[in-house]
Each structure stands twice: as C-alpha cells, then as structure tokens.
Amino acid sequence: MRPSKLITCREWQELPSGELTDADLEVLRRAAKNEARRAGFAEDAILKRTEKGLAAQQMVGVLAAPGIAVEILPKVDGPDGAVRAALVQMLAVVRDFDVPTSDLAAMSTQRHNWLELLIELFAKRLRTAIRRGPPRRYVRHEEDLAVLRGMLNVKRQFTHLLVRPDLVACRFDELSENTPLSRVCRAAATRLAGITRSLENHRRLMELLARLDNVADSASPLKEPVSLDRTNATFHDVYRLARMFLSDPWQDTRSGRTPGFSFLFPMNVLFEEFVGRSLQKALGPGRVRLQGPSRSALRSETGRHLFGLRPDIVVDARGCPVVLDTKWKNPAGTPSKDDTWQMLVYGQAYRAKRVILVYPWKRGIGDEGIHRRWTVTGADYRLETATVDVGRPETVRQRLLGLFREQALERPPTSLVPSAATVEAQDGAALKLP
C-alpha cells in the first residue's frame, strides 16, 4: 500500500479541501476514527469533522489510509522541514537516543514526512552498528558428532549412544548472531519495511534484513531479554528506536497487511515528557521527579486521603520544592481559573517555594523564560508562568536551567498555607479568583 497523496497540516488546522476529494475525506475519517478507538482515545481525537471537511486535533505524526496519508505537525513557528527536525529532536530527548547535529540539519531540508525521517534515522543507525560488528553471544549446543568438539557429554555417551560407537556426544559453545538484541532489531526492520513509502528507505531496510538473515524471527520482541552494556554500545540508540517503533503506550504502528497505520503522539504528553526529561538532563535525575511524588488534596478525620495529586514535575531546588506543570496551549496574560486553582493546591500540598506553569513560546509574547510572576496572598510562595521554544529544542535545557538561577531559592522553605483566594501580580495587579 503506497498512498498517491500526502497531505501536511498543523494542529487544529483544516485539511486543505482543495486537495482532497469527498472519498479522500471519508477514507481519512474512518481511519482516524478506528485508530483513535484502538488507542483508547475519543473518536475525534485525531481528525474532527467540520463544516468544510476535517480538522486536525492535538495529535501529531502520520496517519495513512488506502491511497492517502496525512502528516500532522505541531503548531510551532517555522517552515515544515524545521518543525519536523525539531519534533525528531524532542522525541530523541524523551526516548533517550542521540541525533547528531548534522542529521538534524539534513532533516530540516528534506521533503520526507516525519515518520520517513525517523525510519531513515533507524536504518542508517542500524547499518552503521552492523558494519562495526553485529551483536554476538556464545550459545550452548549439544550435538552427536563424528569427532569430539568441546566437552564430552558423559551421561548421553554411555546411555543413548552406548550402541553407537561412531558418534560422540559433544557439548560446546558457539558464537552466534542470533541474540535477543538482534531479534529486536530484525523485528523493527521487518515492521518498518512494510510501512515505509520511501523506495530508498525500503531498499535500506531490505539490505539490513538480508544482513540479519541468520537471526530468527521473534514472537514477542518486546519481551526479549536484552542486556545493554559496553560490548554492544553501538546498538544502544538503535535498540531504543526499535522499541519505540514496536510498541508505545500512546501510539500504534501496524504492518502493511492492514488497511492503514498510524504513528501518532498526543502533543501535550510529548511536551510534558520533553520538558521533564530536559530538566533531568539539566539538573540531574536525582533532583527532578516526574509524575510524583504523589500527595492528596484532602485528608479525612479517619486518615483517608482524597483527591490525589500528581504534578508533572517536582524539582528539589536546594531543599525547596518547586512544582512545574506543563500546558500545551498559548500562554495568556494570566493563567486560567482552573490552572490557577490547580497550582495553588500543588503549592500548599507540596509546601513549594514556587509553582510554575510552563507553556510553549510563541512570537509576540516576549523573551523565553519567566513570563510573569504573582505572589500568593498569605503564603510564602509564588505562581509563575514560563515559556520554552520547542521550535529550537536544543535551547530548552539551558532555558529551563535559567528558571532555577534565583536568589529566592537560597531561603529555607516555609509551610504557610494561603489564607485568601487572591494571587497578586509582581507589578501590583491582582488575579481575583471566585
């Protein structure tokens, strides 16, 4: 299945109706509906019907159906090529694999869709790793041979082969390419060969499969007992890419035997994980907790905890907790009522010194970093909004690090509880909450 049409759009945009027939729209609508159901999302989570046709939602990636495919890119400033490269770089941070600067520069000038760029990256990395030496391990064999090889299997020799003096029961180790790591790589290459629409990528993958001809197929590649160590260091990134293609909690890729496939990510989840992983790389994993630790908003007289809390990120900044929550939406002058209440509860439950809402940076809102600050009436912590430019992922780590270069973090934390539902802005204005 090789679609004759490829449509590219951004989040929340209408698909260009001038390039699509009614039949195209119906095929895409059905494919999006089926993929959303199977991934556990609402039926219109990928494409939503509108008066003009279909509009992309907050899922980014590629959705393919018979005869047509649609590529949905995040709503980020910049040309399509640069946004694709940025998206690959974000995914590399989240999935912990490296993409050289030279590869990113090449991606920004290519016309391939985002999935094809990732397939090309995987194929080139696997080819380089195999050329340096495929992963091998010694495998124990027990065979009856004409001459002794390895050690004699005494028990078998004097039982089963007692009447066969022409055979020797041998037990020996043999170096084999049929390792768990190789089987995972072969499984990913096989799946991608059935998905790619690029003749060049298909050729690369078929060459790799021929090179892995001595590797057996795996019934459950994600359950293979792979051990990553310094002896197979060249395969570490390849393995992480392979696992990403074979399975993911919030995306699904299906082989060419089915009428369509998807490789999609909720952008709000990707943004959350990207910011969290970037902070861990900037400050160290020991100081940054993702999705925790869990607390509760209320505790009954009997000790029962109610309304569990699990913020996106909690940072230990010199003993002063800082709670961050990511929001994949345009930053406003002041945060919404719901977002504000959420952050006030976090500040009290975690006894935080600062609570920060992190948004994607957009042109026209000022510099990246801290956007605005408010102090919470009756409490010794503040609410802040900050922005990072995901169109330039290489700058995000340094921008996030800059959020914690604050003299206020030098002071010991306090445990005061807000006494009023008012958040006062740094310039004297106040955000009134009902």
Side-chain angles (χ1 to χ4, degrees):
M1 181 188 65
R2 298 187 182 278
S4 57
K5 295 181 183 178
L6 173 64
I7 303 299
T8 297
C9 68
R10 300 292 178 100
E11 288 177 287
W12 310 115
Q13 282 187 350
E14 296 268 354
L15 272 60
S17 56
E19 301 179 37
L20 299 171
T21 65
D22 290 342
D24 291 335
L25 291 171
E26 182 60 21
V27 167
L28 284 174
R29 186 191 68 80
R30 289 181 180 178
K33 180 178 177 180
N34 291 336
E35 294 298 323
R37 277 179 176 177
R38 198 156 49 81
F41 296 107
E43 291 183 354
D44 60 355
I46 302 173
L47 298 176
K48 187 174 183 177
R49 187 190 291 274
T50 65
E51 292 182 0
K52 297 180 180 179
L54 293 173
Q57 299 302 290
Q58 207 176 59
M59 304 281 285
V60 298
V62 175
L63 171 72
I68 190 168
V70 59
E71 175 190 35
I72 305 171
L73 296 177
K75 197 173 181 180
V76 175
D77 295 330
D80 289 350
V83 173
R84 290 186 188 105
L87 195 55
V88 170
Q89 195 171 357
M90 289 178 66
L91 199 60
V93 172
V94 170
R95 290 289 175 241
D96 196 25
F97 60 85
D98 181 55
V99 184
T101 304
S102 58
D103 286 352
L104 289 171
M107 288 177 184
S108 65
T109 61
Q110 293 184 24
R111 296 185 179 180
H112 290 310
N113 68 58
W114 179 63
L115 177 58
E116 294 295 349
L117 294 178
L118 288 170
I119 293 175
E120 179 181 344
L121 178 66
F122 171 79
K124 287 182 175 180
R125 286 292 183 84
L126 181 55
R127 181 180 61 186
T128 299
I130 288 178
R131 284 178 176 175
R132 294 179 180 177
R136 295 186 176 95
R137 71 171 184 176
Y138 282 100
V139 179
R140 173 60 58 90
H141 291 271
E142 293 188 2
E143 294 184 25
D144 302 331
L145 305 174
V147 296
L148 179 65
R149 181 180 179 183
M151 299 174 59
L152 179 66
N153 186 339
V154 176
K155 182 178 180 179
R156 179 172 176 81
Q157 184 69 48
F158 291 101
T159 53
H160 294 82
L161 299 184
L162 186 61
V163 295
R164 292 294 305 274
D166 57 319
L167 295 177
V168 180
C170 303
R171 182 181 290 148
F172 58 92
D173 294 331
E174 186 174 55
L175 198 60
S176 172
E177 295 182 8
N178 186 23
T179 66
L181 179 55
S182 294
R183 291 194 289 272
V184 173
C185 292
R186 178 179 174 83
T190 300
R191 173 166 287 186
L192 295 178
I195 287 174
T196 181
R197 269 68 186 162
S198 163
L199 294 176
E200 185 63 21
N201 278 343
H202 189 266
R203 180 190 62 78
R204 292 187 182 105
L205 292 166
M206 295 309 294
E207 289 178 355
L208 290 168
L209 288 172
R211 180 62 183 83
L212 296 171
D213 190 53
N214 294 326
V215 177
D217 291 328
S218 176
S220 301
L222 294 177
K223 295 182 180 180
E224 291 283 357
V226 175
S227 177
L228 298 179
D229 52 42
R230 62 182 182 180
T231 65
N232 53 27
T234 56
F235 281 85
H236 289 188
D237 282 351
V238 177
Y239 174 69
R240 295 185 181 104
L241 280 165
R243 286 190 61 90
M244 181 185 69
F245 283 121
L246 291 168
S247 178
D248 199 284
W250 23 267
Q251 66 87 21
D252 180 70
T253 305
R254 292 192 287 175
S255 70
R257 293 176 297 176
T258 57
F261 67 86
S262 69
F263 192 79
L264 297 161
F265 300 82
M267 194 59 209
N268 59 325
V269 176
L270 184 59
F271 180 59
E272 174 193 328
E273 294 200 357
F274 170 66
V275 171
R277 299 296 180 188
S278 297
L279 258 178
Q280 285 185 328
K281 292 179 182 294
L283 301 176
R287 296 180 59 191
V288 180
R289 295 281 299 275
L290 308 183
Q291 288 291 314
S294 178
R295 300 280 173 86
S296 61
L298 298 176
R299 188 174 61 183
S300 69
E301 294 178 355
T302 60
R304 181 185 175 191
H305 292 269
L306 303 171
F307 308 120
L309 303 174
R310 193 177 290 274
D312 293 343
I313 306 163
V314 177
V315 177
D316 179 11
R318 299 183 183 179
C320 303
V322 178
V323 177
L324 299 93
D325 210 69
T326 59
K327 303 294 180 183
W328 181 251
K329 57 185 177 182
N330 292 332
T334 57
S336 69
K337 179 182 70 174
D338 290 343
D339 290 345
T340 300
W341 278 123
Q342 178 187 22
M343 299 309 289
L344 292 182
V345 173
Y346 285 158
Q348 178 176 333
Y350 288 83
R351 297 184 179 181
K353 195 67 177 177
R354 302 160 69 196
V355 290
I356 307 175
L357 286 163
V358 183
Y359 300 90
W361 177 83
K362 299 288 183 183
R363 288 195 181 118
I365 64 170
D367 297 332
E368 303 165 60
I370 295 297
H371 184 46
R372 292 196 71 183
R373 293 184 174 92
W374 295 267
T375 57
V376 180
T377 303
D380 192 21
Y381 72 91
R382 63 176 184 254
L383 169 66
E384 305 173 26
T385 57
T387 60
V388 294
D389 187 1
V390 298
R392 297 185 300 154
E394 69 280 0
T395 68
V396 169
R397 190 184 307 180
Q398 194 64 28
R399 295 296 184 185
L400 291 171
L401 186 62
L403 302 182
F404 295 90
R405 291 174 180 160
E406 296 282 343
Q407 291 184 352
L409 295 177
E410 303 277 353
R411 301 197 303 268
T414 63
S415 58
L416 294 178
V417 177
S419 59
T422 304
V423 182
E424 296 178 353
Q426 194 175 39
D427 57 8
L431 174 62
K432 298 291 185 180
L433 301 177

